[in-house]
């Protein structure tokens, strides 16, 4: 642990003016106004960095960018037209979009330019993506540990996410300064070191594990068992989701799981250790299978094959809407409404 403490970068140890000075000669373009691109572009703009946006014209996100103050022909351009003049690219299209645009985009990555990714997917699986970094450029990964929505909302509240970083190529000798300046600009603070493969493998494992799919499976499994044994929908939801997110999760976020344990009943503490071991024995094999699937490239191949489906977004939307209508999350909407009403009083 001490090894990593020594390597952590605090991007806020420099001032905003220093960061702006470091990037003053750069023409920054954010390619993609999706969830992550929007947040990074707005945070940079709000702090006085000179930044433009490249987005597919006539798309919903192009319209959203216009509504949020980006001006077509001034700091908002069709993606292809935003390539040539920029010197620092935040390549924040979807993974599929990055792969699709790469053959054209790479022709603009001339010597002395800088590429920054928020996720190294396209580089970690070259056999599947056919993407390779050109020489004589600076290449960085600055990966916020949270969604673009969280990045933007925290920034507005003067709070910040942390991020993983990788300096893939440092042709100029100034990549660390650029990294720190970009970190300050987009709204991240402490930067921890990683590698290309570690960043990608951890990210894919995390979002399929505890961050999204795994935690959803735990919620649903406990909820269904409680319902099966006669507990009401409200009671099952409160004991499964609401208490965790509204009461216990803040304790974990503050000082960790030991802090949570120290602030629950003795009855709960006694049950923690034996049942944690049972869950660990049951779940660990699933995580091992998941990590192997990610590290072997099988997951990337499956993702890229699926992304080629022209009807994918329509299909995903239908699946998400159907999922939102399952009982546990319908109950959740009701309880969220209770919370909203209380906050208004």
């Amino acid at each position: 642990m001490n090894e990593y403490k020594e390597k952590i970068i605090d991007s806020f140890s420099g001032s905003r003016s220093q960061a702006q000075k470091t990037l003053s000669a750069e023409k920054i373009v954010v390619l993609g106004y999706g969830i992550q691109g929007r947040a990074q572009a707005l945070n940079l703009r709000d702090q006085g960095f000179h930044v433009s946006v490249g987005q597919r014209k006539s798309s919903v996100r192009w319209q959203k960018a216009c509504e949020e103050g980006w001006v077509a022909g001034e700091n908002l351009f069709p993606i292809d037209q935003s390539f040539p003049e920029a010197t620092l690219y935040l390549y924040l299209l979807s993974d599929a979009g990055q792969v699709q645009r790469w053959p054209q985009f790479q022709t603009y990555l001339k010597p002395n330019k800088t590429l920054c990714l928020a996720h190294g997917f396209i580089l970690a699986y070259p056999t599947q993506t056919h993407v390779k970094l050109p020489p004589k450029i600076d290449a960085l990964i600055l990966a916020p540990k949270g969604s673009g929505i969280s990045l933007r909302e925290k920034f507005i509240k003067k709070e910040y996410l942390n991020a993983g970083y990788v300096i893939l190529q440092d042709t100029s000798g100034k990549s660390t300064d650029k990294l720190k300046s970009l970190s300050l600009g987009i709204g991240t603070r402490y930067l921890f070191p990683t590698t290309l493969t570690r960043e990608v493998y951890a990210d894919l494992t995390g979002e399929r594990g505890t961050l999204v799919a795994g935690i959803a499976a735990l919620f649903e499994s406990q909820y269904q068992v409680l319902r099966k044994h006669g507990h009401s929908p409200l009671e099952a939801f409160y004991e499964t989701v609401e208490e965790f997110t509204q009461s216990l999760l803040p304790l974990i976020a503050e000082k960790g799981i030991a802090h949570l344990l120290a602030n629950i009943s003795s009855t709960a503490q006694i049950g923690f250790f034996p049942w944690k071991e049972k869950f660990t024995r049951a779940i660990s094999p699933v995580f091992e299978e998941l990590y192997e699937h990610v590290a072997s490239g099988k997951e990337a191949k499956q993702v890229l094959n699926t992304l080629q489906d022209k009807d994918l977004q329509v299909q995903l939307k239908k699946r998400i809407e159907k999922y939102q209508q399952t009982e546990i999350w319908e109950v959740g909407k009701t309880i969220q409404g209770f919370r909203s009403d209380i906050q208004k009083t």
Side-chain angles (χ1 to χ4, degrees):
M1 186 62 187
N2 289 334
E3 174 190 352
Y4 286 95
K5 281 186 176 180
E6 293 172 1
K7 294 181 180 178
I8 287 175
I9 296 174
D10 180 1
S11 64
F12 279 60
S13 62
S15 67
R16 186 186 304 172
S17 61
Q18 287 175 317
Q20 290 171 336
K21 184 178 180 180
T22 298
L23 300 179
S24 62
E26 304 285 355
K27 295 180 179 178
I28 305 172
V29 61
V30 174
L31 294 170
Y33 203 68
I35 295 174
Q36 191 66 234
R38 172 183 175 270
Q40 294 197 22
L42 289 173
N43 290 358
L44 283 162
R45 187 183 70 180
D46 287 356
Q47 295 193 92
F49 290 84
H50 296 292
V51 58
S52 61
V53 169
Q55 174 59 37
R56 184 167 55 85
K57 196 171 183 179
S58 302
S59 65
V60 172
R61 289 170 179 168
W62 174 280
Q63 183 60 39
K64 186 172 184 63
C66 292
E67 292 170 357
E68 293 182 329
W70 301 93
V71 180
E74 183 178 319
N75 54 20
L76 174 64
F77 302 92
I79 291 180
D80 296 352
Q81 294 178 23
S82 65
F83 289 170
E85 300 302 320
T87 62
L88 196 164
Y89 301 94
L90 301 184
Y91 199 44
L92 302 178
L93 301 168
S94 67
D95 291 333
Q98 288 184 15
V99 173
Q100 180 184 6
R101 295 275 182 179
W102 185 263
Q104 180 189 12
F105 172 60
Q106 68 175 339
T107 64
Y108 295 99
L109 291 176
K110 304 295 185 183
N112 302 317
K113 292 197 175 186
T114 301
L115 170 67
C116 185
L117 302 170
H119 179 43
F121 183 93
I122 60 168
L123 297 175
Y125 301 105
T127 302
Q128 289 91 337
T129 64
H130 307 291
V131 171
K132 183 180 179 181
L133 284 176
K136 299 181 180 179
I137 67 166
D138 288 347
L140 318 169
I141 294 176
L142 178 57
K145 294 299 102 181
S147 73
I149 293 174
S150 299
L151 184 68
R152 180 61 179 166
E153 289 181 349
K154 282 185 173 292
F155 175 82
I156 291 171
K157 296 176 183 176
K158 301 188 184 305
E159 299 174 356
Y160 305 93
L161 291 177
N162 297 329
Y165 77 90
V166 187
I167 296 178
L168 297 165
Q169 293 181 180
D170 184 18
T171 302
S172 69
K174 299 177 181 177
S175 290
T176 299
D177 289 337
K178 292 178 185 178
L179 180 81
K180 292 170 66 175
S181 299
L182 279 172
S183 173
L184 189 150
I186 70 170
T188 55
R189 181 162 187 174
Y190 290 111
L191 310 179
F192 63 88
T194 184
T195 67
L196 170 62
T197 54
R198 281 183 10 218
E199 184 275 321
V200 174
Y201 295 178
D203 185 87
L204 292 178
T205 299
E207 66 190 16
R208 285 151 175 76
T210 60
L211 300 180
V212 187
I215 193 66
L218 281 174
F219 284 156
E220 291 166 24
S221 297
Q222 178 171 304
Y223 179 88
Q224 289 165 7
V225 167
L226 290 174
R227 292 286 291 122
K228 177 183 175 182
H229 290 281
H231 297 268
S232 72
L234 284 179
E235 182 176 44
F237 190 89
Y238 271 114
E239 291 297 335
T240 301
V241 180
E242 188 75 357
E243 186 172 351
F244 175 73
T245 58
Q246 301 302 307
S247 175
L248 304 184
L249 190 57
L251 292 175
I252 298 172
E254 182 182 353
K255 294 181 180 178
I257 197 76
H259 180 62
L260 167 64
L261 281 171
N263 287 278
I264 57 178
S265 70
S266 297
T267 301
Q269 291 171 342
I270 291 168
F272 170 82
F273 294 99
W275 281 101
K276 184 193 79 67
E277 293 306 316
K278 288 180 183 289
F279 279 113
T280 299
R281 287 194 297 270
I283 296 170
S284 289
V286 179
F287 276 100
E288 287 289 352
E289 180 185 353
L290 169 57
Y291 194 87
E292 188 279 331
H293 212 252
V294 168
S296 67
K298 295 175 185 175
E299 190 72 16
K301 183 177 180 180
Q302 181 177 323
V303 167
L304 290 170
N305 287 340
T306 305
L307 287 171
Q308 293 177 9
D309 189 337
K310 294 181 180 180
D311 296 325
L312 177 62
Q313 292 305 315
V314 174
Q315 294 174 18
L316 286 174
K317 183 178 179 181
K318 288 181 179 178
R319 293 186 71 179
I320 292 169
E321 288 175 349
K322 185 176 180 180
Y323 182 64
Q324 288 174 328
Q325 293 167 4
T326 55
E327 185 183 278
I328 181 174
W329 302 118
E330 285 291 337
V331 175
K333 291 178 188 176
T334 300
I335 293 176
Q336 288 159 10
F338 294 162
R339 263 194 262 127
S340 180
D341 290 342
I342 291 171
Q343 289 170 357
K344 290 177 183 177
T345 60

